[in-house]
Amino acid sequence: MEFDLQDILKDIFTLSLGFATIRISISIVFASMGEMITERSGVLNMGVEGIMLMGAFTAAVTTHFLGNPWIGLLFAGLAGMLIGLIFAFIAITVKSDQAITGLAVYLLGVGLSGYLLQVFFKHGGNTPKVETLPIMHLAFLENIPIINDIFNDQSVLMIPALLLPILLYILFYKTPWGTWLRATGENPKALAVVGKNPITIRYLAVMAGSFLAGIGGAYLSISQTSLFSERMVNGRGFIALSAVIFGNVKPAGVFAAAMFFSFMDALQYSLQTVIPDQYFPREVFMALPYVITLLILAGFIKQSKGPADITNPYEKESR
Amino acid sequence: MEKIQKFLLKNSAVFASVLAVIFAFLVVGILLLSSGRNPVEAFGYFLDGAFGDMFNFANTVSRVVPLLIAAIAFIIGAKCSVFNVGIEGQLLLGALASAVVGYIIELPKAIHLPLTLLAGTLAGGLYALIPGWLKVYRKVNEILSTIMLNYPAFFFNHYIVLNVTPLEGVIPATPFVNETAKFINLVPGTRLHAGVIVAAIVVVAAYILLQRTTMGYEMRAVGFNQEAARYHGIPVEKRMMLAFFISGCLAGLAGAVEMAGVHYRYLDQFSPGYGYDSITVAMVGLLHPFGAIFSATLFGALKTGILDMAVYTEIPRQLVTLINGIVVLFISAKSLVQTQFTQVFKGRQSNPSSEEK
């Protein structure tokens, strides 16, 4: 068999690659948008992965027992918020090292979801199949050729995922709440002078971010697939963290970064199926998203400028 | 009374750590109760499984070996403010490299076994230089980079085992190593092997490096205050790279020792998360080599004990991972306990420093 590069490229860069990119991006967009809110307030939550796992788990379990994926989605967000509250207490009130607390949240998410999975379902590494959120068919897209192939018949969560960056842009730069949020991340003491409590704002930002991470996890278990399996988030939380760094903690940038990483993942799957294993090992493609993410971070991070006060605990009196 | 207060104050970190573990166990007890299990009975099975007889005890010690070496790997890094969460990946690479050297080469044991361990050590150390370079010269957070580098390591090993090294049977693994590349078994019928000596040497060497050498002092200075260290002429970048390298080396060594002592080949997915557990072990051990001995014993016991418990009760073995998460959470909040301690005792002493506040 001969390699025909043109044929191979044609097989890889299809419209279904665009469809897959959007499909993969939804969970990463939710998680990275959430983390962006958190980081804007000056808090770094490295436990996104763990929160997503708990979201994915909670969504599948509540959907399984209550039969309604919408309730599952809501509970996933609430579960995320609850974990976020624990993180916020330790990171903000107790003023522990944020990186280590985030690490603890990650380990907690892996452990708790794995443990509860066994408690609820005894055997096997996954839940039974559950009902999923509806797929959205938009009739008006049918006549637009390329757009239709990429955006039609995606999960219903695609709409909020695409709107989220716009909404957050408006929130950040056009509302007083956004000003307070950004000020908390840049110079919390100045904000305190104006009479706003930076601690409250940081709590709210962490919980909002964790809510979205929970939703991002839920998408994986009750929309992209229809069950929860152990460790199913598989590094997406860390990819989302990278997207926030790469995107400079700004809505448009983070969204673009999330889309880029999702494209890389979609490309990786496509390469796996198109290029036969005997020519090129599958494992290389599987490792690709992680390696590319790191390479990009290596190239860009020095230019990246996040909030000035990130990871610093807020002290009321200066000494 | 004053002596007791001083003692408590001086060791507040130790008490905070012990309290974190106790709290974690309480939470687990409540979790067990709420899912209808008897925590006392479970604890009994756990103790019996971990320490019940000679065999169980020997098995517990065999679990302590990789945990302890990997925990020292984390400690050396953390002391220089390098948080190596990639121990799992480095450990896997170390195990594979040592297995390959173990089965390909034929040499007398006195040379072959050390060479096998060295191969694993270097594999881990070299791999850790990647996140090292990323952190030191490109400012990429090492928690992020080391976790992400675990995936390529895993895929690489998977590929090698399935496609490069000859497969014997259906399990994805390398061939068994030669007799000359194996640790001798210390208690027949258990997994306890002579690698326990290597673990002991690593602990002592780490203590000497950190506390008794200039190099170790400089590494700790970087961890304590980077800018101050730089001001005093310590080459911060070099010391951090060294911390990454040593940390990775020890992670690789942990994998190599486990390979040469327990499995005698590289077995795909042989590690039950030693790399992640080592973080907990290091933190509970207060990032001190000797402290790690106690915490590694505790978590080694957890590993064997809970497996035993899972056989007799319906409590899932994932409890280990859960306990890890809860313990690290409490440990990260331990400054809460510490400040309480300090406030309670300093408040009573009414010394000038407390009046200042």
Side-chain angles (χ1 to χ4, degrees):
Chain A
M1 199 173 115
E2 278 285 311
F3 260 137
D4 185 347
L5 192 64
Q6 218 167 359
D7 273 0
I8 287 183
L9 285 179
K10 248 187 224 161
D11 282 343
I12 293 170
F13 292 98
T14 56
L15 286 173
S16 60
L17 181 65
F19 183 84
T21 303
I22 298 291
R23 192 175 138 88
I24 291 169
S25 75
I26 295 175
S27 97
I28 298 178
V29 167
F30 271 108
S32 57
M33 287 295 141
E35 178 65 14
M36 179 180 69
I37 301 175
T38 306
E39 288 193 23
R40 264 289 151 223
S41 80
V43 179
L44 173 71
N45 182 356
M46 299 201 80
V48 188
E49 176 96 2
I51 298 176
M52 288 176 82
L53 269 168
M54 282 312 291
F57 172 77
T58 312
V61 170
T62 35
T63 307
H64 174 76
F65 286 112
L66 301 175
N68 186 337
W70 290 104
I71 300 179
L73 185 69
L74 176 70
F75 273 79
L78 294 178
M81 253 166 111
L82 187 68
I83 309 256
L85 186 66
I86 299 173
F87 171 84
F89 176 72
I90 299 174
I92 300 169
T93 305
V94 183
K95 295 174 195 159
S96 292
D97 186 291
Q98 290 176 6
I100 293 179
T101 312
L103 195 62
V105 167
Y106 162 56
L107 292 174
L108 182 75
V110 176
L112 195 59
S113 60
Y115 171 75
L116 291 177
L117 179 68
Q118 294 296 314
V119 168
F120 280 122
F121 301 103
K122 298 285 184 291
H123 297 295
N126 49 262
T127 63
K129 266 192 174 271
V130 298
E131 203 172 314
T132 57
L133 291 168
I135 295 291
M136 201 177 33
H137 184 77
L138 301 166
F140 70 92
L141 282 181
E142 276 169 17
N143 298 322
I144 317 170
I146 295 169
I147 304 280
N148 181 54
D149 290 306
I150 295 176
F151 293 97
N152 216 346
D153 299 313
Q154 294 276 9
S155 162
V156 65
L157 285 179
M158 178 188 74
I159 298 291
L162 293 179
L163 288 179
L164 208 49
I166 303 169
L167 289 177
L168 288 178
Y169 176 82
I170 297 170
L171 175 84
F172 279 11
Y173 301 105
K174 308 283 176 204
T175 68
W177 301 303
T179 315
W180 298 333
L181 177 74
R182 285 183 295 128
T184 313
E186 299 294 341
N187 191 343
K189 280 186 186 119
L191 191 73
V193 173
V194 190
K196 298 277 173 287
N197 187 348
I199 303 256
T200 315
I201 294 176
R202 284 188 173 173
Y203 260 90
L204 289 175
V206 168
M207 285 168 73
S210 309
F211 181 86
L212 290 179
I215 299 284
Y219 169 78
L220 295 172
S221 67
I222 58 169
S223 194
Q224 194 175 340
T225 66
S226 53
L227 49 80
F228 173 82
S229 60
E230 226 180 317
R231 296 179 189 237
M232 78 180 300
V233 177
N234 220 350
R236 286 182 185 84
F238 295 104
I239 302 257
L241 269 170
S242 311
V244 176
I245 299 171
F246 183 34
N248 239 334
V249 208
K250 288 187 173 126
V254 174
F255 180 71
M259 292 315 278
F260 176 77
F261 290 142
S262 310
F263 173 72
M264 279 299 148
D265 205 23
L267 183 64
Q268 175 264 121
Y269 281 113
S270 162
L271 287 169
Q272 268 189 57
T273 45
V274 172
I275 298 181
D277 208 24
Q278 65 261 38
Y279 290 114
F280 216 79
R282 213 156 25 104
E283 284 78 6
V284 173
F285 298 131
M286 290 161 82
L288 208 61
Y290 306 101
V291 175
I292 288 187
T293 306
L294 283 174
L295 283 177
I296 285 175
L297 286 180
F300 282 86
I301 209 159
K302 276 198 162 170
Q303 287 100 303
S304 173
K305 259 172 67 189
D309 203 50
I310 195 142
T311 72
N312 291 340
Y314 174 67
E315 310 274 356
K316 263 188 196 137
E317 314 107 68
S318 51
R319 26 191 102 160
Chain B
M1 193 60 196
E2 204 160 280
K3 262 189 185 166
I4 298 172
Q5 284 178 3
K6 269 195 183 150
F7 174 75
L8 285 177
L9 258 182
K10 209 178 140 200
N11 295 296
S12 63
V14 177
F15 290 109
S17 181
V18 171
L19 270 180
V21 173
I22 293 174
F23 275 137
F25 275 86
L26 281 179
V27 170
V28 169
I30 293 166
L31 262 177
L32 288 180
L33 261 184
S34 66
S35 51
R37 271 91 187 205
N38 182 348
V40 179
E41 189 196 329
F43 195 66
Y45 278 117
F46 158 67
L47 278 185
D48 191 50
F51 303 110
D53 54 42
M54 184 63 188
F55 287 97
N56 289 355
F57 183 67
N59 274 329
T60 295
V61 176
S62 82
R63 292 270 186 178
V64 171
V65 170
L67 273 179
L68 185 54
I69 301 176
I72 300 289
F74 187 82
I75 290 172
I76 301 253
K79 279 288 177 193
C80 192
S81 72
V82 163
F83 291 96
N84 182 4
V85 192
I87 292 175
E88 183 77 7
Q90 295 145 14
L91 182 148
L92 292 178
L93 285 177
L96 179 68
S98 64
V100 170
V101 169
Y103 89 83
I104 285 186
I105 300 173
E106 280 186 42
L107 280 170
K109 186 159 190 163
I111 307 170
H112 196 190
L113 182 57
L115 194 68
T116 305
L117 298 182
L118 183 70
T121 308
L122 282 180
L126 292 177
Y127 197 54
L129 287 180
I130 301 175
W133 178 79
L134 284 170
K135 179 185 170 81
V136 173
Y137 298 103
R138 309 304 306 179
K139 303 256 179 292
V140 178
N141 180 306
E142 78 278 21
I143 296 186
L144 201 57
S145 63
T146 49
I147 285 189
M148 290 219 268
L149 282 167
N150 284 338
Y151 293 92
F154 174 75
F155 293 135
F156 175 79
N157 283 9
H158 192 68
Y159 173 75
I160 296 290
V161 165
L162 283 181
N163 298 291
V164 179
T165 56
L167 268 178
E168 293 169 0
V170 285
I171 309 166
T174 63
F176 283 100
V177 296
N178 300 321
E179 278 305 315
T180 48
K182 293 179 185 172
F183 277 118
I184 49 162
N185 191 290
L186 294 182
V187 183
T190 72
R191 295 148 52 115
L192 184 61
H193 55 87
V196 69
I197 300 163
V198 176
I201 294 171
V202 165
V203 171
V204 175
Y207 176 78
I208 293 173
L209 169 74
L210 286 172
Q211 306 291 339
R212 296 274 180 272
T213 66
T214 320
M215 190 76 87
Y217 168 78
E218 291 184 353
M219 285 166 72
R220 282 187 297 131
V222 172
F224 195 68
N225 186 337
Q226 231 183 85
E227 287 322 304
R230 198 188 304 279
Y231 183 75
H232 282 95
I234 295 172
V236 174
E237 284 76 20
K238 279 188 188 160
R239 292 298 167 267
M240 277 192 158
M241 286 303 272
L242 184 71
F244 269 106
F245 184 66
I246 298 179
S247 183
C249 278
L250 291 177
L253 179 64
V257 168
E258 185 74 355
M259 188 291 298
V262 176
H263 304 289
Y264 305 132
R265 57 177 170 168
Y266 177 81
L267 201 61
D268 208 24
Q269 302 186 357
F270 77 93
S271 164
Y274 285 131
Y276 298 105
D277 297 338
S278 66
I279 302 165
T280 320
V281 171
M283 286 188 177
V284 174
L286 295 169
L287 300 181
H288 192 288
F290 296 155
I293 298 177
F294 294 101
S295 55
T297 310
L298 175 71
F299 283 89
L302 271 180
K303 286 251 172 220
T304 40
I306 285 183
L307 283 183
D308 222 46
M309 190 172 86
V311 173
Y312 293 107
T313 66
E314 285 205 322
I315 298 162
R317 61 183 166 73
Q318 276 83 352
L319 193 62
V320 187
T321 332
L322 177 61
I323 292 178
N324 267 344
I326 298 176
V327 169
V328 179
L329 204 60
F330 276 114
I331 289 275
S332 65
K334 77 163 190 278
S335 60
L336 181 69
V337 183
Q338 255 175 299
T339 41
Q340 292 299 327
F341 249 93
T342 322
Q343 270 168 14
V344 167
F345 291 106
K346 276 200 176 157
R348 278 188 204 156
Q349 278 182 332
S350 77
N351 55 16
S353 70
S354 65
E355 272 165 14
E356 241 172 60
K357 264 195 168 180

